[in-house]
Structures are given as C-alpha cells and as structure tokens.
Amino acid sequence: MGLFADLRDSISAVTAKLFAGEGEDPKRIGIYGPPNAGKTTLANRIARDWTGDAVGPESHIPHETRRARRKENVEIERNGQTVSIDIVDTPGVTTKVDYEEFLDHDMEKEEAVRRSREATEGVAEAMHWLREDVDGVIYVLDSTTDPFTQVNTMLIGIIESRELPVLILANKTDLEDSNVQRIRNAFPQHETIELSALEGENMDEVYDRIAEKFG
C-alpha cells in the first residue's frame, strides 16, 4: 500500500503544479481619483491596448462617469509574465456634487439635477467598492491641479488603512501647467508615475508597474 500511496501523492503533486493558478479570479483594480482627473481616459487606454474595447465614454464634463464600470479579464503581458485584472472605473469622488456645475455646460436644470443626484449616488458606490470590493487601486491625479485636498487625503488614508497595493499616477503631463513634483511632494510614501493617458505617453512604464504591483 505504501507504493500506491507514494504514487498517488506524486500524481497529486504533479497535477497541482500543472494547474497552479487555474480558477483564480482576476484581481479587481479600482481606478480612483477626483472628477476630471482622466480616470476613464486611462481605463479606456488600458482596455483598448489589451482587449481592443473601451470601458466608457470620455468627456470634459465633470462626473460623466456616475456609476462604476467594469472591464473584466484584462490580461497585461510584461517581462514574460501575464497579469489578469478586472478594471473598475469609478466615479470621481468629491465632498459635494452641485447641480450648478452642470448648468455651466448648457444643460437644462432638470437634467443637471438628475445628473447631480446620480453622481452623488455614484460617489457612495465608489466608496463602497473601496472599502469592500477592490484588491488594489490605481489613483489618478490631474498634474495641473493642487493634490493637497481633503478628498485625496481621505482616500489615500482609506487605501493605506486597508493595506491595498496602490499606484499613484500623475496624469495630463502633456499640458503646459503640469507639475508632477507637486504630487510627489503630497504623497512621498508612494511612488508617483507620470503619464498622459490621452496621448499614451509613458504607458510602458505604467504597464510595468501594474504588473509588478498587482501581479
């Protein structure tokens, strides 16, 4: 019986090696940050590069993303390894959504109120995802604006309290007012990677870091 037991254990060990990693769910990576930081532009860039599909519409209007959108099974191949992730493009988080923001974009009041209500619900949804349902975070900041805000400090604090792996991306480096160092100074405990999601600049480094951080 000892011979058969040894043979059975050997077969089990080989089988485990052959199928190691099969059945594992892709890691859910939330794309977070304030409104108009370029989160959906980045999500679409990643999705198009690796799947050929977009995640959602891009717009200069704030709070265009008012519900979390998910692109599943995005496989990123870097340096001989494949990282499988689900991208969760979340609404921009802010302390207050004012319907008058939408009036500035030639909307009727009824439409502006509807959008502000949806955006407020979307912020609550994004916070739920952050506290319960993501395995890592890509935090996108507009490098032309001041990163020292209550919302950014709060969200980074939640990410750290959950001990989630996080990448901070300084986006919109194609713009003249870009100041990446200001973001590095705001969150020196985390590496900041500069990029232009719109132009696709420095995406190779972004993909390298995604593979390292979430693989």
CSV table of all heavy atoms in Angstrom, one decimal, residues 28-91:
chain,number,residue,atom,x,y,z
A,28,ARG,N,-9.4,42.6,-8.8
A,28,ARG,CA,-10.2,43.8,-9.1
A,28,ARG,C,-9.4,45.0,-8.7
A,28,ARG,O,-9.1,45.3,-7.6
A,28,ARG,CB,-11.5,43.8,-8.3
A,28,ARG,CG,-12.4,42.6,-8.7
A,28,ARG,CD,-13.7,42.6,-7.8
A,28,ARG,NE,-13.4,42.5,-6.4
A,28,ARG,CZ,-13.2,41.4,-5.8
A,28,ARG,NH1,-13.3,40.2,-6.4
A,28,ARG,NH2,-13.0,41.3,-4.5
A,29,ILE,N,-9.1,45.8,-9.7
A,29,ILE,CA,-8.3,47.0,-9.6
A,29,ILE,C,-9.1,48.3,-9.8
A,29,ILE,O,-9.6,48.5,-10.9
A,29,ILE,CB,-7.1,47.0,-10.5
A,29,ILE,CG1,-6.2,45.7,-10.4
A,29,ILE,CG2,-6.2,48.3,-10.2
A,29,ILE,CD1,-5.7,45.5,-8.9
A,30,GLY,N,-9.4,49.0,-8.8
A,30,GLY,CA,-10.2,50.2,-8.9
A,30,GLY,C,-9.4,51.4,-9.3
A,30,GLY,O,-8.3,51.6,-8.8
A,31,ILE,N,-9.9,52.1,-10.3
A,31,ILE,CA,-9.3,53.4,-10.7
A,31,ILE,C,-10.0,54.5,-10.0
A,31,ILE,O,-11.2,54.8,-10.3
A,31,ILE,CB,-9.4,53.5,-12.3
A,31,ILE,CG1,-8.6,52.4,-12.9
A,31,ILE,CG2,-8.8,54.9,-12.7
A,31,ILE,CD1,-8.6,52.5,-14.5
A,32,TYR,N,-9.3,55.2,-9.1
A,32,TYR,CA,-9.9,56.2,-8.3
A,32,TYR,C,-9.2,57.6,-8.5
A,32,TYR,O,-8.2,57.7,-9.1
A,32,TYR,CB,-9.8,55.8,-6.8
A,32,TYR,CG,-10.8,54.9,-6.3
A,32,TYR,CD1,-10.7,53.5,-6.6
A,32,TYR,CD2,-11.9,55.3,-5.6
A,32,TYR,CE1,-11.7,52.6,-6.2
A,32,TYR,CE2,-12.9,54.4,-5.2
A,32,TYR,CZ,-12.8,53.1,-5.5
A,32,TYR,OH,-13.8,52.2,-5.1
A,33,GLY,N,-9.9,58.6,-7.9
A,33,GLY,CA,-9.3,59.9,-8.0
A,33,GLY,C,-10.5,61.0,-8.1
A,33,GLY,O,-11.7,60.6,-8.2
A,34,PRO,N,-10.1,62.2,-8.1
A,34,PRO,CA,-11.2,63.3,-8.2
A,34,PRO,C,-11.8,63.4,-9.6
A,34,PRO,O,-11.3,62.8,-10.5
A,34,PRO,CB,-10.4,64.6,-7.8
A,34,PRO,CG,-9.0,64.2,-8.2
A,34,PRO,CD,-8.8,62.8,-8.0
A,35,PRO,N,-12.9,64.1,-9.7
A,35,PRO,CA,-13.5,64.3,-11.0
A,35,PRO,C,-12.6,64.9,-12.0
A,35,PRO,O,-11.7,65.8,-11.6
A,35,PRO,CB,-14.7,65.2,-10.7
A,35,PRO,CG,-15.0,65.0,-9.3
A,35,PRO,CD,-13.7,64.7,-8.6
A,36,ASN,N,-12.7,64.5,-13.3
A,36,ASN,CA,-11.9,65.1,-14.4
A,36,ASN,C,-10.4,64.9,-14.2
A,36,ASN,O,-9.6,65.7,-14.8
A,36,ASN,CB,-12.2,66.6,-14.5
A,36,ASN,CG,-13.4,66.8,-15.5
A,36,ASN,OD1,-14.2,65.9,-15.7
A,36,ASN,ND2,-13.5,68.0,-16.0
A,37,ALA,N,-10.0,63.9,-13.5
A,37,ALA,CA,-8.5,63.6,-13.5
A,37,ALA,C,-8.0,62.8,-14.6
A,37,ALA,O,-6.8,62.6,-14.9
A,37,ALA,CB,-8.2,62.9,-12.1
A,38,GLY,N,-9.0,62.2,-15.4
A,38,GLY,CA,-8.6,61.4,-16.5
A,38,GLY,C,-8.8,59.9,-16.3
A,38,GLY,O,-8.1,59.1,-16.9
A,39,LYS,N,-9.6,59.5,-15.3
A,39,LYS,CA,-9.7,58.1,-14.9
A,39,LYS,C,-10.3,57.2,-16.1
A,39,LYS,O,-9.8,56.2,-16.4
A,39,LYS,CB,-10.6,58.0,-13.7
A,39,LYS,CG,-10.1,58.6,-12.5
A,39,LYS,CD,-11.0,58.5,-11.3
A,39,LYS,CE,-12.3,59.1,-11.5
A,39,LYS,NZ,-12.2,60.6,-11.7
A,40,THR,N,-11.4,57.7,-16.7
A,40,THR,CA,-12.0,57.0,-17.8
A,40,THR,C,-11.1,56.9,-19.0
A,40,THR,O,-11.0,55.9,-19.7
A,40,THR,CB,-13.4,57.5,-18.2
A,40,THR,OG1,-14.2,57.5,-17.0
A,40,THR,CG2,-14.0,56.7,-19.3
A,41,THR,N,-10.4,58.0,-19.3
A,41,THR,CA,-9.4,58.0,-20.4
A,41,THR,C,-8.3,57.0,-20.1
A,41,THR,O,-8.0,56.3,-21.1
A,41,THR,CB,-8.7,59.4,-20.5
A,41,THR,OG1,-9.8,60.4,-20.7
A,41,THR,CG2,-7.8,59.5,-21.7
A,42,LEU,N,-7.9,56.9,-18.9
A,42,LEU,CA,-6.9,55.8,-18.6
A,42,LEU,C,-7.5,54.4,-18.7
A,42,LEU,O,-6.9,53.5,-19.3
A,42,LEU,CB,-6.3,56.0,-17.2
A,42,LEU,CG,-5.4,54.9,-16.7
A,42,LEU,CD1,-4.1,54.9,-17.5
A,42,LEU,CD2,-5.1,55.1,-15.2
A,43,ALA,N,-8.7,54.2,-18.2
A,43,ALA,CA,-9.3,52.9,-18.2
A,43,ALA,C,-9.5,52.5,-19.7
A,43,ALA,O,-9.3,51.3,-20.1
A,43,ALA,CB,-10.7,53.0,-17.5
A,44,ASN,N,-9.9,53.4,-20.5
A,44,ASN,CA,-10.1,53.1,-21.9
A,44,ASN,C,-8.8,52.8,-22.6
A,44,ASN,O,-8.7,52.0,-23.5
A,44,ASN,CB,-10.8,54.3,-22.7
A,44,ASN,CG,-12.3,54.3,-22.4
A,44,ASN,OD1,-12.9,53.4,-22.0
A,44,ASN,ND2,-12.9,55.5,-22.6
A,45,ARG,N,-7.7,53.6,-22.3
A,45,ARG,CA,-6.4,53.3,-22.8
A,45,ARG,C,-5.9,51.9,-22.5
A,45,ARG,O,-5.5,51.2,-23.4
A,45,ARG,CB,-5.4,54.3,-22.3
A,45,ARG,CG,-3.9,54.1,-22.6
A,45,ARG,CD,-3.6,54.3,-24.1
A,45,ARG,NE,-3.9,55.7,-24.4
A,45,ARG,CZ,-3.6,56.2,-25.7
A,45,ARG,NH1,-3.2,55.3,-26.6
A,45,ARG,NH2,-3.9,57.4,-26.0
A,46,ILE,N,-6.1,51.5,-21.2
A,46,ILE,CA,-5.7,50.2,-20.8
A,46,ILE,C,-6.5,49.1,-21.6
A,46,ILE,O,-6.0,48.1,-22.1
A,46,ILE,CB,-5.8,50.0,-19.3
A,46,ILE,CG1,-4.8,50.9,-18.6
A,46,ILE,CG2,-5.5,48.5,-18.9
A,46,ILE,CD1,-5.0,51.0,-17.1
A,47,ALA,N,-7.8,49.3,-21.5
A,47,ALA,CA,-8.7,48.3,-22.2
A,47,ALA,C,-8.5,48.2,-23.6
A,47,ALA,O,-8.4,47.1,-24.2
A,47,ALA,CB,-10.2,48.7,-21.9
A,48,ARG,N,-8.3,49.3,-24.3
A,48,ARG,CA,-8.1,49.2,-25.8
A,48,ARG,C,-6.7,48.6,-26.1
A,48,ARG,O,-6.6,47.8,-27.1
A,48,ARG,CB,-8.1,50.6,-26.4
A,48,ARG,CG,-9.6,51.2,-26.4
A,48,ARG,CD,-9.6,52.5,-27.3
A,48,ARG,NE,-10.9,53.1,-27.4
A,48,ARG,CZ,-11.2,54.2,-26.8
A,48,ARG,NH1,-10.3,54.9,-26.1
A,48,ARG,NH2,-12.4,54.7,-26.9
A,49,ASP,N,-5.7,48.9,-25.3
A,49,ASP,CA,-4.4,48.4,-25.6
A,49,ASP,C,-4.4,46.8,-25.5
A,49,ASP,O,-3.6,46.2,-26.2
A,49,ASP,CB,-3.3,49.0,-24.6
A,49,ASP,CG,-2.9,50.4,-25.1
A,49,ASP,OD1,-3.3,50.8,-26.2
A,49,ASP,OD2,-2.2,51.0,-24.3
A,50,TRP,N,-5.2,46.3,-24.5
A,50,TRP,CA,-5.1,44.9,-24.2
A,50,TRP,C,-6.3,44.1,-24.6
A,50,TRP,O,-6.2,42.8,-24.6
A,50,TRP,CB,-4.8,44.7,-22.7
A,50,TRP,CG,-3.5,45.3,-22.4
A,50,TRP,CD1,-3.3,46.5,-21.8
A,50,TRP,CD2,-2.2,44.8,-22.6
A,50,TRP,NE1,-1.9,46.8,-21.6
A,50,TRP,CE2,-1.2,45.7,-22.1
A,50,TRP,CE3,-1.7,43.6,-23.2
A,50,TRP,CZ2,0.2,45.5,-22.2
A,50,TRP,CZ3,-0.3,43.4,-23.3
A,50,TRP,CH2,0.6,44.4,-22.8
A,51,THR,N,-7.4,44.7,-24.9
A,51,THR,CA,-8.6,44.0,-25.3
A,51,THR,C,-9.2,44.5,-26.6
A,51,THR,O,-10.0,43.8,-27.2
A,51,THR,CB,-9.7,44.0,-24.2
A,51,THR,OG1,-10.3,45.3,-24.2
A,51,THR,CG2,-9.1,43.6,-22.9
A,52,GLY,N,-8.9,45.7,-27.0
A,52,GLY,CA,-9.5,46.3,-28.2
A,52,GLY,C,-10.8,47.0,-27.9
A,52,GLY,O,-11.3,47.6,-28.8
A,53,ASP,N,-11.3,46.9,-26.7
A,53,ASP,CA,-12.6,47.6,-26.4
A,53,ASP,C,-12.4,48.7,-25.4
A,53,ASP,O,-11.4,48.8,-24.6
A,53,ASP,CB,-13.5,46.5,-25.7
A,53,ASP,CG,-13.9,45.4,-26.7
A,53,ASP,OD1,-14.0,45.7,-27.9
A,53,ASP,OD2,-14.0,44.3,-26.2
A,54,ALA,N,-13.4,49.6,-25.4
A,54,ALA,CA,-13.4,50.7,-24.4
A,54,ALA,C,-14.2,50.4,-23.2
A,54,ALA,O,-15.0,49.4,-23.2
A,54,ALA,CB,-13.9,52.0,-25.1
A,55,VAL,N,-14.0,51.1,-22.1
A,55,VAL,CA,-14.8,50.9,-20.9
A,55,VAL,C,-16.0,51.8,-20.9
A,55,VAL,O,-17.1,51.4,-20.5
A,55,VAL,CB,-13.9,51.2,-19.6
A,55,VAL,CG1,-14.7,51.1,-18.4
A,55,VAL,CG2,-12.7,50.2,-19.6
A,56,GLY,N,-15.8,53.1,-21.3
A,56,GLY,CA,-17.0,54.0,-21.2
A,56,GLY,C,-16.6,55.3,-21.9
A,56,GLY,O,-15.5,55.5,-22.4
A,57,PRO,N,-17.6,56.2,-22.1
A,57,PRO,CA,-17.4,57.4,-22.8
A,57,PRO,C,-16.6,58.4,-22.0
A,57,PRO,O,-16.7,58.5,-20.8
A,57,PRO,CB,-18.8,58.0,-23.0
A,57,PRO,CG,-19.6,57.4,-21.9
A,57,PRO,CD,-19.0,56.0,-21.7
A,58,GLU,N,-15.7,59.2,-22.7
A,58,GLU,CA,-14.9,60.2,-22.1
A,58,GLU,C,-15.5,61.6,-22.4
A,58,GLU,O,-16.2,61.8,-23.4
A,58,GLU,CB,-13.5,60.2,-22.7
A,58,GLU,CG,-12.8,58.8,-22.5
A,58,GLU,CD,-11.6,58.7,-23.4
A,58,GLU,OE1,-11.0,59.7,-23.8
A,58,GLU,OE2,-11.2,57.5,-23.7
A,59,SER,N,-15.3,62.5,-21.4
A,59,SER,CA,-15.9,63.8,-21.6
A,59,SER,C,-15.2,64.8,-20.7
A,59,SER,O,-14.6,64.5,-19.7
A,59,SER,CB,-17.4,63.7,-21.1
A,59,SER,OG,-18.0,65.0,-21.1
A,60,HIS,N,-15.3,66.1,-21.1
A,60,HIS,CA,-14.7,67.2,-20.3
A,60,HIS,C,-15.7,67.6,-19.2
A,60,HIS,O,-15.3,68.4,-18.4
A,60,HIS,CB,-14.3,68.3,-21.2
A,60,HIS,CG,-15.5,69.0,-21.8
A,60,HIS,ND1,-16.2,68.5,-22.9
A,60,HIS,CD2,-16.2,70.1,-21.5
A,60,HIS,CE1,-17.2,69.3,-23.2
A,60,HIS,NE2,-17.3,70.3,-22.4
A,61,ILE,N,-16.9,67.1,-19.3
A,61,ILE,CA,-17.9,67.5,-18.3
A,61,ILE,C,-17.7,66.7,-17.0
A,61,ILE,O,-17.5,65.5,-17.1
A,61,ILE,CB,-19.4,67.1,-18.8
A,61,ILE,CG1,-19.7,67.9,-20.1
A,61,ILE,CG2,-20.4,67.5,-17.8
A,61,ILE,CD1,-21.0,67.5,-20.8
A,62,PRO,N,-17.6,67.4,-15.9
A,62,PRO,CA,-17.4,66.7,-14.6
A,62,PRO,C,-18.5,65.6,-14.3
A,62,PRO,O,-19.6,65.8,-14.7
A,62,PRO,CB,-17.4,67.8,-13.6
A,62,PRO,CG,-18.1,68.9,-14.2
A,62,PRO,CD,-17.9,68.8,-15.7
A,63,HIS,N,-18.1,64.6,-13.7
A,63,HIS,CA,-19.0,63.5,-13.2
A,63,HIS,C,-19.7,62.8,-14.4
A,63,HIS,O,-20.8,62.3,-14.3
A,63,HIS,CB,-20.1,64.0,-12.3
A,63,HIS,CG,-19.5,64.8,-11.2
A,63,HIS,ND1,-18.8,64.3,-10.1
A,63,HIS,CD2,-19.6,66.2,-10.9
A,63,HIS,CE1,-18.5,65.2,-9.3
A,63,HIS,NE2,-18.9,66.4,-9.7
A,64,GLU,N,-19.0,62.7,-15.6
A,64,GLU,CA,-19.5,62.0,-16.7
A,64,GLU,C,-19.7,60.5,-16.3
A,64,GLU,O,-20.6,59.8,-16.8
A,64,GLU,CB,-18.6,62.1,-17.9
A,64,GLU,CG,-19.2,61.5,-19.2
A,64,GLU,CD,-20.5,62.2,-19.6
A,64,GLU,OE1,-20.7,63.4,-19.4
A,64,GLU,OE2,-21.3,61.5,-20.3
A,65,THR,N,-18.7,60.0,-15.5
A,65,THR,CA,-18.9,58.6,-15.0
A,65,THR,C,-19.6,58.7,-13.7
A,65,THR,O,-19.1,59.2,-12.7
A,65,THR,CB,-17.5,58.0,-14.8
A,65,THR,OG1,-16.8,57.9,-16.1
A,65,THR,CG2,-17.6,56.5,-14.3
A,66,ARG,N,-20.9,58.2,-13.7
A,66,ARG,CA,-21.7,58.4,-12.5
A,66,ARG,C,-22.0,57.0,-11.9
A,66,ARG,O,-22.7,56.9,-10.8
A,66,ARG,CB,-23.0,59.2,-12.8
A,66,ARG,CG,-22.6,60.6,-13.2
A,66,ARG,CD,-23.9,61.4,-13.5
A,66,ARG,NE,-24.7,60.9,-14.5
A,66,ARG,CZ,-24.5,61.1,-15.8
A,66,ARG,NH1,-23.4,61.8,-16.2
A,66,ARG,NH2,-25.3,60.6,-16.7
A,67,ARG,N,-21.6,55.9,-12.5
A,67,ARG,CA,-21.7,54.6,-12.0
A,67,ARG,C,-20.4,53.9,-12.3
A,67,ARG,O,-19.8,54.1,-13.3
A,67,ARG,CB,-22.9,53.8,-12.6
A,67,ARG,CG,-24.2,54.3,-12.2
A,67,ARG,CD,-24.5,53.8,-10.7
A,67,ARG,NE,-25.8,54.1,-10.3
A,67,ARG,CZ,-26.2,55.3,-9.7
A,67,ARG,NH1,-25.3,56.2,-9.6
A,67,ARG,NH2,-27.4,55.5,-9.3
A,68,ALA,N,-20.0,53.0,-11.4
A,68,ALA,CA,-18.8,52.2,-11.6
A,68,ALA,C,-19.0,51.3,-12.9
A,68,ALA,O,-20.0,50.7,-13.1
A,68,ALA,CB,-18.4,51.4,-10.4
A,69,ARG,N,-17.9,51.3,-13.7
A,69,ARG,CA,-17.9,50.5,-14.9
A,69,ARG,C,-16.8,49.5,-14.8
A,69,ARG,O,-15.7,49.8,-14.4
A,69,ARG,CB,-17.8,51.3,-16.2
A,69,ARG,CG,-18.8,52.4,-16.4
A,69,ARG,CD,-18.6,53.0,-17.8
A,69,ARG,NE,-19.5,54.1,-18.0
A,69,ARG,CZ,-19.2,55.4,-18.0
A,69,ARG,NH1,-18.0,55.7,-17.7
A,69,ARG,NH2,-20.1,56.3,-18.3
A,70,ARG,N,-17.0,48.3,-15.2
A,70,ARG,CA,-16.1,47.2,-15.1
A,70,ARG,C,-15.7,46.5,-16.4
A,70,ARG,O,-16.6,46.2,-17.2
A,70,ARG,CB,-16.7,46.2,-14.1
A,70,ARG,CG,-15.7,45.0,-13.7
A,70,ARG,CD,-16.3,44.3,-12.6
A,70,ARG,NE,-15.6,43.1,-12.2
A,70,ARG,CZ,-15.8,42.3,-11.1
A,70,ARG,NH1,-16.8,42.6,-10.3
A,70,ARG,NH2,-15.1,41.2,-10.9
A,71,LYS,N,-14.4,46.4,-16.6
A,71,LYS,CA,-13.9,45.6,-17.8
A,71,LYS,C,-13.2,44.4,-17.3
A,71,LYS,O,-12.2,44.6,-16.6
A,71,LYS,CB,-13.0,46.5,-18.6
A,71,LYS,CG,-12.5,45.8,-19.9
A,71,LYS,CD,-13.7,45.6,-20.8
A,71,LYS,CE,-13.2,44.9,-22.1
A,71,LYS,NZ,-14.3,44.6,-23.1
A,72,GLU,N,-13.7,43.2,-17.5
A,72,GLU,CA,-13.2,42.0,-16.9
A,72,GLU,C,-12.1,41.4,-17.8
A,72,GLU,O,-12.1,41.5,-19.0
A,72,GLU,CB,-14.4,41.0,-16.7
A,72,GLU,CG,-15.4,41.6,-15.7
A,72,GLU,CD,-16.5,40.6,-15.5
A,72,GLU,OE1,-16.7,39.6,-16.3
A,72,GLU,OE2,-17.2,40.7,-14.5
A,73,ASN,N,-11.3,40.6,-17.1
A,73,ASN,CA,-10.3,39.8,-17.7
A,73,ASN,C,-9.4,40.5,-18.7
A,73,ASN,O,-9.2,40.1,-19.8
A,73,ASN,CB,-11.0,38.6,-18.4
A,73,ASN,CG,-11.7,37.7,-17.4
A,73,ASN,OD1,-11.2,37.3,-16.4
A,73,ASN,ND2,-13.0,37.4,-17.8
A,74,VAL,N,-8.8,41.6,-18.2
A,74,VAL,CA,-7.8,42.3,-19.0
A,74,VAL,C,-6.4,41.7,-18.7
A,74,VAL,O,-6.0,41.8,-17.5
A,74,VAL,CB,-7.8,43.8,-18.6
A,74,VAL,CG1,-6.7,44.6,-19.4
A,74,VAL,CG2,-9.2,44.4,-18.9
A,75,GLU,N,-5.8,41.1,-19.6
A,75,GLU,CA,-4.6,40.4,-19.4
A,75,GLU,C,-3.4,41.3,-20.0
A,75,GLU,O,-3.4,41.6,-21.1
A,75,GLU,CB,-4.6,39.0,-20.1
A,75,GLU,CG,-5.5,38.0,-19.5
A,75,GLU,CD,-5.4,36.6,-20.1
A,75,GLU,OE1,-4.6,36.5,-21.1
A,75,GLU,OE2,-5.9,35.7,-19.5
A,76,ILE,N,-2.6,41.7,-19.0
A,76,ILE,CA,-1.4,42.5,-19.4
A,76,ILE,C,-0.2,41.7,-19.3
A,76,ILE,O,0.2,41.1,-18.3
A,76,ILE,CB,-1.3,43.7,-18.4
A,76,ILE,CG1,-2.6,44.6,-18.5
A,76,ILE,CG2,-0.1,44.5,-18.6
A,76,ILE,CD1,-2.7,45.7,-17.5
A,77,GLU,N,0.6,41.6,-20.4
A,77,GLU,CA,1.8,40.8,-20.5
A,77,GLU,C,3.0,41.7,-20.4
A,77,GLU,O,3.2,42.6,-21.3
A,77,GLU,CB,1.8,40.1,-21.8
A,77,GLU,CG,0.7,39.0,-22.0
A,77,GLU,CD,0.7,38.3,-23.3
A,77,GLU,OE1,1.7,38.5,-24.0
A,77,GLU,OE2,-0.2,37.5,-23.6
A,78,ARG,N,3.8,41.5,-19.4
A,78,ARG,CA,5.0,42.3,-19.2
A,78,ARG,C,6.2,41.4,-18.7
A,78,ARG,O,6.0,40.6,-17.8
A,78,ARG,CB,4.8,43.4,-18.2
A,78,ARG,CG,3.7,44.4,-18.5
A,78,ARG,CD,3.8,45.0,-19.9
A,78,ARG,NE,4.8,46.0,-19.9
A,78,ARG,CZ,5.1,46.7,-21.0
A,78,ARG,NH1,4.4,46.5,-22.1
A,78,ARG,NH2,6.1,47.6,-21.0
A,79,ASN,N,7.3,41.5,-19.4
A,79,ASN,CA,8.5,40.9,-18.9
A,79,ASN,C,8.3,39.4,-18.7
A,79,ASN,O,8.8,38.8,-17.7
A,79,ASN,CB,9.0,41.5,-17.6
A,79,ASN,CG,9.3,43.0,-17.8
A,79,ASN,OD1,9.8,43.4,-18.8
A,79,ASN,ND2,8.8,43.8,-16.8
A,80,GLY,N,7.6,38.7,-19.7
A,80,GLY,CA,7.4,37.3,-19.6
A,80,GLY,C,6.3,36.8,-18.7
A,80,GLY,O,6.2,35.6,-18.6
A,81,GLN,N,5.6,37.7,-18.0
A,81,GLN,CA,4.5,37.2,-17.2
A,81,GLN,C,3.2,37.9,-17.6
A,81,GLN,O,3.2,39.0,-18.1
A,81,GLN,CB,4.8,37.5,-15.7
A,81,GLN,CG,4.8,38.9,-15.3
A,81,GLN,CD,5.0,39.1,-13.8
A,81,GLN,OE1,5.2,38.2,-13.1
A,81,GLN,NE2,4.9,40.3,-13.3
A,82,THR,N,2.1,37.2,-17.3
A,82,THR,CA,0.8,37.8,-17.6
A,82,THR,C,0.0,38.1,-16.3
A,82,THR,O,-0.1,37.2,-15.4
A,82,THR,CB,0.0,36.8,-18.4
A,82,THR,OG1,0.7,36.5,-19.7
A,82,THR,CG2,-1.4,37.3,-18.8
A,83,VAL,N,-0.5,39.3,-16.2
A,83,VAL,CA,-1.3,39.7,-15.1
A,83,VAL,C,-2.7,39.9,-15.5
A,83,VAL,O,-3.0,40.6,-16.5
A,83,VAL,CB,-0.8,41.0,-14.5
A,83,VAL,CG1,-1.6,41.5,-13.3
A,83,VAL,CG2,0.7,40.9,-14.1
A,84,SER,N,-3.6,39.2,-14.9
A,84,SER,CA,-5.0,39.3,-15.2
A,84,SER,C,-5.8,40.1,-14.2
A,84,SER,O,-5.7,39.8,-13.0
A,84,SER,CB,-5.7,37.9,-15.3
A,84,SER,OG,-7.0,37.9,-15.7
A,85,ILE,N,-6.4,41.2,-14.7
A,85,ILE,CA,-7.1,42.1,-13.8
A,85,ILE,C,-8.5,42.4,-14.3
A,85,ILE,O,-8.8,42.3,-15.5
A,85,ILE,CB,-6.3,43.4,-13.5
A,85,ILE,CG1,-6.2,44.2,-14.8
A,85,ILE,CG2,-5.0,43.1,-12.9
A,85,ILE,CD1,-5.5,45.6,-14.6
A,86,ASP,N,-9.4,42.8,-13.4
A,86,ASP,CA,-10.7,43.5,-13.8
A,86,ASP,C,-10.5,44.9,-13.5
A,86,ASP,O,-10.2,45.3,-12.4
A,86,ASP,CB,-11.8,42.9,-13.0
A,86,ASP,CG,-12.2,41.5,-13.3
A,86,ASP,OD1,-11.6,41.0,-14.4
A,86,ASP,OD2,-13.0,40.8,-12.6
A,87,ILE,N,-10.7,45.8,-14.5
A,87,ILE,CA,-10.6,47.2,-14.3
A,87,ILE,C,-12.0,47.8,-13.8
A,87,ILE,O,-13.0,47.5,-14.5
A,87,ILE,CB,-10.2,47.9,-15.6
A,87,ILE,CG1,-8.8,47.5,-16.1
A,87,ILE,CG2,-10.2,49.5,-15.4
A,87,ILE,CD1,-8.5,48.0,-17.4
A,88,VAL,N,-12.0,48.5,-12.7
A,88,VAL,CA,-13.2,49.1,-12.2
A,88,VAL,C,-13.0,50.6,-12.3
A,88,VAL,O,-12.3,51.2,-11.5
A,88,VAL,CB,-13.5,48.7,-10.8
A,88,VAL,CG1,-14.8,49.3,-10.3
A,88,VAL,CG2,-13.6,47.2,-10.6
A,89,ASP,N,-13.7,51.2,-13.3
A,89,ASP,CA,-13.6,52.7,-13.5
A,89,ASP,C,-14.7,53.3,-12.6
A,89,ASP,O,-15.9,53.1,-12.8
A,89,ASP,CB,-13.8,53.0,-15.0
A,89,ASP,CG,-13.8,54.5,-15.2
A,89,ASP,OD1,-13.1,55.2,-14.4
A,89,ASP,OD2,-14.4,55.0,-16.2
A,90,THR,N,-14.3,54.0,-11.6
A,90,THR,CA,-15.2,54.6,-10.6
A,90,THR,C,-15.5,56.0,-10.8
A,90,THR,O,-14.7,56.8,-11.4
A,90,THR,CB,-14.7,54.4,-9.2
A,90,THR,OG1,-13.5,55.2,-9.0
A,90,THR,CG2,-14.3,52.9,-8.9
A,91,PRO,N,-16.7,56.5,-10.3
A,91,PRO,CA,-17.0,57.9,-10.4
A,91,PRO,C,-16.0,58.8,-9.6
A,91,PRO,O,-15.4,58.3,-8.6
A,91,PRO,CB,-18.4,58.0,-9.8
A,91,PRO,CG,-18.9,56.6,-9.9
A,91,PRO,CD,-17.8,55.7,-9.8
